[in-house]
Amino acid sequence: MNPVLAAERLGRILPGEAPVTLVRDIDLKVERGEFLAIMGPSGSGKSSLLYLLGLLDTPTSGRVLLEGRDTSGYGEDELAATRLRHLGFVFQFHFLLAEFTVLDNVQLPMRRLGALSEEAAQQRAQQLLDQFGLSEHGHKHPHQLSGGQRQRVAIARALANEPPIILADEPTGNLDSHASANVRQILHDLTRAMGKTVIVVTHDPSFASAADRRIGIVDGQIDPDWRA
Amino acid sequence: MSIQLAIAVTQLVSRRRPTLVSLVGIALGVAFFLAVSSLMRGSEQDFIKRLIDNSPHITVSDEYRNPEKQPAWQQWPNGAVEIRRVKPLTEVRGIRGHIQKLAFIESLPGLRAAPVLVGSVVLTFAGRIEGVTLNGMVPDKMKGVSTIEEKLIHGSLDALAANPNGIVIGDGLAKKFGLEMGSVVNASSPGGEVRTLKVVGVFRTGNANYDESQTFVLLKRAQGLLDRANRVNRFILQLDDPYAAREVAAVIEQQGGYKAVSWQEAAEDIMSVLLVRNLIMYSVVSAILVVASFGIYNTISTIVMEKIHDIAILISMGFHARDIRHIFLAEGLILGILGSLMGVTFGIGLMWLLTQVEIKPPGATDIVHLPIYWGWEQYLLAASFALISAVGAAYLPARKAGRVQPVMILRGMA
């Protein structure tokens, strides 16, 4: 079976007077339903790798294959459409839209996609909130929630269009240990109960034990000898 | 409501103060645009009205726009032989067949016409000599086409009709000659005819040159004095719809052959001055709106800067750069529409206030109100210009927002 996401000799160099190599020669295959932790020291290029895998950034060499399809020739329209349907992002900072209610935030991707009617989208958003224990908070604004609650809203939003792949960049970097454990558990459950593929970039060593697989990035390359 | 529009509205509503400030900017711009435009257009119309009231709408004179060819040329237009020393035909000046031509003109709907014989005579009185223009006319017809009767300060046109030796002169001429009602002057024509005429009316138009140089007598008297029996050399026309003058003049000229000049043609220089004046006025008031649109530029730029993380997250979520641009263009459009609506309301209020202003021009006894033009097209012009400026002002920040590289923003935060 094809890996759901694969990187082939992936490289990214920031151009400039002194070009900076963020990522070099990365080969990676991620299987469907896998919970993958990408670890490594600060500035090692692990977030850059995640942005490349999530089609937010364009590689300077190599390519990303999503469900077997080469994405290197994609134009802006196709990239945006692919992110909308196939990928869900969770960042260190929740990045919810402050002026919108929690329920509206979760609906944003659905309304952009336009596949569901407004009622259906609202219903689905409420279901997602229920799923993450946020039933009561739909009509609050993000600033009225705790950090852990906000991050759960962000996960609900990432799941809105039912993407097969969730990409998380330091999702617990800003949370206390209790909330961290909760978010980690949710991400883990996504792979088990819903068959999602979850790729997490993290510093947090406790992810190491929860993940199916851990890879270490050092100086933009996979370090086979890396230990958390 | 599309999600882009929903985001645009939410962002504006959550920033009440800057939104309100830029709205007021556009509203004031539109209001001042309307106030200035209505005042300028109003004064223009007032001016044109005076122009129309005080001059004939159409003047038909005994001239041709293109002089008629001489008979020999008409006979052999492409003759191989050139005939030299042909004496040109000399005709008595005047409109030929004027009775039939006048009858034709009077058969056209919505107009009144009066025949006039205009010539120069020399007035002498008590040793003073002055060349003046003599207008021979029929009082009953003249009343229909000229405001001269309203301008009479002494006497009347009826008195002139009753007295074949009467003359109506201007106030200026009366002062110059020291004439009064009933005074007697001598008028002598270039042909040597001399008549003694009695002042039966004095008019004042306010135009000093006119008041010093124009005189009115009966048509018959003028024909005798100028030795042009049964001739007239001018028809003066007044129309119910002055703005139809150009078309009517063309019909008359085509039919009669003689030159028919509408007031628009006669006042072409003034009309073009008015047009230039409008162009200047509209450029200046449009500049107000351009300046006001900087407020919109400022507001939307600030939103783009503050919301750069939201933009990054929307793009990572799968929003297209085009969607992001649409959000901010929609903000400009919303500000433009609301600002125009507020501005038109405020502008109408301002225009109403202007109509309440009373001024007393120096030397006048009457209180004058400012002339205000209420035409709908200026609202349309102001609103559409405000909209264009608003969307134009939103375009630059919108383009910037569309170019946001989410990775750059996310890296900056991480």
Side-chain angles (χ1 to χ4, degrees), chain A residues 2-225:
Chain A
N2 268 337
V4 69
L5 192 64
E8 288 180 0
R9 301 192 64 77
L10 203 58
R12 174 73 165 107
I13 298 169
L14 276 188
E17 277 183 31
V20 183
T21 303
L22 299 171
V23 167
R24 86 179 78 171
D25 286 341
I26 290 204
D27 282 298
L28 181 66
K29 285 188 170 67
V30 188
E31 300 301 330
R32 195 172 298 276
E34 189 175 1
F35 188 13
L36 173 70
I38 300 175
M39 311 188 80
S42 292
S44 62
K46 52 190 193 306
S47 292
S48 298
L49 173 61
L50 192 79
Y51 300 150
L52 289 170
L53 292 175
L55 307 182
L56 276 181
D57 201 3
T58 320
T60 41
S61 60
R63 55 184 191 161
V64 174
L65 297 153
L66 185 79
E67 295 177 318
R69 285 193 307 275
D70 183 4
T71 62
S72 51
Y74 279 16
E76 214 198 323
D77 285 323
E78 280 169 302
L79 288 173
T82 308
R83 285 198 298 268
L84 191 61
R85 283 172 182 277
H86 298 277
L87 303 164
F89 286 93
V90 179
F91 296 99
Q92 177 176 7
F93 300 96
H94 57 86
F95 282 148
L96 298 174
L97 269 53
E99 297 88 359
F100 286 82
T101 64
V102 164
L103 203 58
D104 286 338
N105 264 289
V106 176
Q107 286 181 70
L108 281 174
M110 298 187 243
R111 291 185 62 180
R112 176 63 192 85
L113 185 61
L116 297 176
S117 70
E118 269 187 45
E119 298 77 46
Q122 185 152 1
Q123 215 171 359
R124 170 157 171 75
Q126 188 59 50
Q127 277 168 7
L128 284 164
L129 290 180
D130 295 346
Q131 191 179 338
F132 298 126
L134 296 161
S135 307
E136 314 295 308
H137 303 293
H139 294 286
K140 289 185 180 169
H141 281 82
H143 66 91
Q144 294 167 295
L145 302 183
S146 73
Q149 288 171 325
R150 280 182 236 172
Q151 201 57 296
R152 278 183 277 155
V153 177
I155 294 171
R157 184 178 63 185
L159 289 167
N161 285 334
E162 303 191 68
I165 304 165
I166 300 292
L167 303 162
D169 188 7
E170 303 277 9
T172 58
N174 212 25
L175 302 178
D176 62 35
S177 60
H178 176 72
S180 291
N182 182 244
V183 166
R184 192 174 59 238
Q185 189 59 47
I186 288 174
L187 291 174
H188 182 261
D189 290 349
L190 291 181
T191 63
R192 297 299 179 266
M194 298 169 74
K196 305 284 181 199
T197 304
V198 177
I199 304 172
V200 183
V201 163
T202 182
H203 271 109
D204 184 350
S206 65
F207 265 92
S209 52
D212 297 327
R213 184 156 62 113
R214 296 149 289 282
I215 56 170
I217 304 287
V218 177
D219 292 335
Q221 286 177 295
I222 295 180
D223 182 354
D225 304 324

Side-chain angles (χ1 to χ4, degrees), chain B residues 308-334:
Chain B
I308 201 123
H309 297 117
D310 286 7
I311 295 167
I313 195 72
L314 287 170
I315 293 176
S316 75
M317 214 183 270
F319 276 65
H320 199 283
R322 197 170 43 234
D323 301 325
I324 305 295
R325 278 200 300 275
H326 287 170
I327 291 175
F328 295 99
L329 285 177
E331 289 179 11
L333 197 63
I334 292 169

Side-chain angles (χ1 to χ4, degrees), chain B residues 119-177:
Chain B
S120 297
V121 293
V122 174
L123 283 192
T124 47
F125 178 75
R128 291 189 186 81
I129 299 176
E130 185 84 21
V132 297
T133 304
L134 190 73
N135 296 277
M137 47 84 179
V138 182
D140 278 344
K141 298 219 168 187
M142 199 64 178
K143 283 178 195 170
V145 299
S146 165
T147 52
I148 192 69
E149 187 164 42
E150 294 162 25
K151 309 287 184 196
L152 285 174
I153 50 177
H154 301 293
S156 68
L157 287 186
D158 293 331
L160 182 62
N163 186 348
N165 283 323
I167 182 169
V168 174
I169 61 172
D171 183 40
L173 190 66
K175 287 213 175 87
K176 214 174 189 177
F177 271 46

Side-chain angles (χ1 to χ4, degrees), chain B residues 344-364:
Chain B
V344 167
T345 315
F346 188 30
I348 289 173
L350 217 54
M351 283 152 74
W352 179 82
L353 275 181
L354 284 173
T355 61
Q356 302 302 303
V357 174
E358 292 179 341
I359 37 177
K360 214 176 142 188

